[in-house]
Amino acid sequence: MLPPMKSMKVGAKKAMTKGALAKALATEHGLKQKACSDMLNSLASIATKEVKKAGIFSIPGLCRIKTRTKPATKAGVRNVFGKDVKVKAKPARTIVKGYCAAALKKQI
C-alpha cells in the first residue's frame, strides 16, 4: 500500500492581498496607500467593463482575460464508464478565463 500523498499547501505562501499590493506600490512610487488602492479599484472596474463589452482585456506583460461561451447541453441518458446516467439540460453560459502573458512565462 502506498503512503498518503502530501498536500501542496504545506509550506506554501499565501497570495498577496489588495492592501499589501497597494502598500508595496505606494512605497515603491512614493504615493499614498489610499491613492494606490483607488487605482487598483479603477483597474478592476475598467477590466470588468472591457470584458463585458469586447470579451477580452489584457494587462501588458502580466495577463489576458477572455470570455468564452459554453454551449447548451441537452437532457438525456449518457453512458459514463459503462453505466447509464441521467443528465439534466443546462443553458448556454459565458465563462471567464485568465491566461498569463508570454513575458511573464519567460521571467518565471
Side-chain angles (χ1 to χ4, degrees), residues 55-73:
I56 192 165
F57 178 76
S58 66
I59 302 171
L62 189 63
C63 68
R64 173 176 253 179
I65 302 167
K66 289 181 177 180
T67 58
R68 177 177 167 256
T69 305
K70 266 196 158 180
T73 58

Side-chain angles (χ1 to χ4, degrees), residues 22-44:
K23 192 173 188 178
L25 286 171
T27 56
E28 187 175 335
H29 296 289
L31 299 170
K32 290 189 175 183
Q33 187 174 347
K34 173 75 172 139
C36 292
S37 180
D38 290 341
M39 288 184 65
L40 289 174
N41 287 338
S42 65
L43 178 66

Side-chain angles (χ1 to χ4, degrees), residues 67-102:
T67 58
R68 177 177 167 256
T69 305
K70 266 196 158 180
T73 58
K74 293 182 179 179
V77 178
R78 297 209 180 111
N79 192 345
V80 180
F81 299 113
K83 294 182 181 179
D84 290 336
V85 179
K86 287 185 179 179
V87 179
K88 293 182 180 177
K90 293 181 183 176
R93 57 203 178 277
T94 303
I95 294 175
V96 180
K97 290 194 169 203
Y99 304 94
C100 67

